[in-house]
Amino acid sequence: MSQKDSAAPVERWSPTAIARALERTIVVIEPILRTVASAGVLVLMTATVVDVVSRTLTGRGLPGVIEITEIVLVATVFFGMMTSGRDGQHIRVTLLTDRLPEAAARIVRTLGLISALVIVGWLTWVTIEKAIVSVQTAEYRFGLISVPIWPARVAIPIGLVCLALVLIFLLVAQVSKYASVVGREREPFEDLLDSPIAEELS
């Protein structure tokens, strides 16, 4: 085996290669979840407007609108987490890291990402168990009409897993000093057209 061939597996599993693979995955998955979350916002707006018009004209709201909007809202929020993570829109405080030397700031950011990943991982594990039970029992909510809530239960761990994927990428990129637009503070819904990965996939 040549020296070049023996080095290939090492390069394939290097932090930079892992970061690039994670970035590719994020670029593929994020637009799908963003589209679903955007559709959820549209459903919420439409249901609210129709309910308000119904109350104004007839004095009665549409049955089940409140229950349905609650379910859709949960899915919309958790499906939008990956986009927020990709665009660097999650709340963060840089009061300390902005005043630290770059090496120290990198260590602090790494520890913060590890802490966030542990919390998100625990939440994912708990919500997966809840989602499985909810699907098995066909869980639904009592109201003016019976509304299944298991889709919202399923949406929560999906959103958390995708958020964890972004956190893992940011952690690997932090360690390997891999430069990417993912996680960098950007305008909401700004396309990734300036990303080398996006250019390769197009």
Side-chain angles (χ1 to χ4, degrees), residues 72-95:
V72 175
L73 179 61
V74 171
T76 301
V77 169
F78 281 88
F79 281 161
M81 281 185 169
M82 192 175 203
T83 297
S84 297
R86 188 209 71 175
D87 291 345
Q89 296 296 323
H90 286 296
I91 297 174
R92 53 185 172 183
V93 179
T94 59
L95 183 65

Side-chain angles (χ1 to χ4, degrees), residues 108-181:
V108 172
R109 286 194 293 265
T110 300
L111 292 175
L113 286 169
I114 293 173
S115 300
L117 192 55
V118 169
I119 294 172
V120 172
W122 173 72
L123 289 173
T124 302
W125 176 261
V126 173
T127 55
I128 285 176
E129 292 181 336
K130 296 280 189 182
I132 292 174
V133 173
S134 182
V135 171
Q136 289 175 341
T137 59
E139 185 179 8
Y140 64 93
R141 176 178 173 179
F142 291 102
L144 295 177
I145 62 174
S146 297
V147 178
I149 64 176
W150 62 263
R153 296 276 195 190
V154 172
I156 293 174
I158 291 175
L160 289 172
V161 166
C162 293
L163 176 59
L165 184 65
V166 174
L167 292 174
I168 293 172
F169 166 78
L170 294 176
L171 180 59
V172 175
Q174 188 75 228
V175 173
S176 64
K177 298 182 180 180
Y178 179 77
S180 172
V181 294

Side-chain angles (χ1 to χ4, degrees), residues 34-88:
R34 185 205 319 164
T35 301
V36 176
S38 300
V41 172
L42 184 60
V43 170
L44 290 171
M45 293 172 56
T46 302
T48 301
V49 170
V50 172
D51 188 54
V52 169
V53 171
S54 176
R55 289 179 184 276
T56 302
L57 297 179
T58 66
R60 294 183 302 175
L62 296 179
V65 168
I66 294 178
E67 291 82 359
I68 292 173
T69 53
E70 288 176 349
I71 304 303
V72 175
L73 179 61
V74 171
T76 301
V77 169
F78 281 88
F79 281 161
M81 281 185 169
M82 192 175 203
T83 297
S84 297
R86 188 209 71 175
D87 291 345

Side-chain angles (χ1 to χ4, degrees), residues 176-190:
S176 64
K177 298 182 180 180
Y178 179 77
S180 172
V181 294
V182 175
R184 188 182 306 164
E185 189 168 351
R186 301 152 49 83
E187 292 299 319
F189 300 107
E190 183 180 341

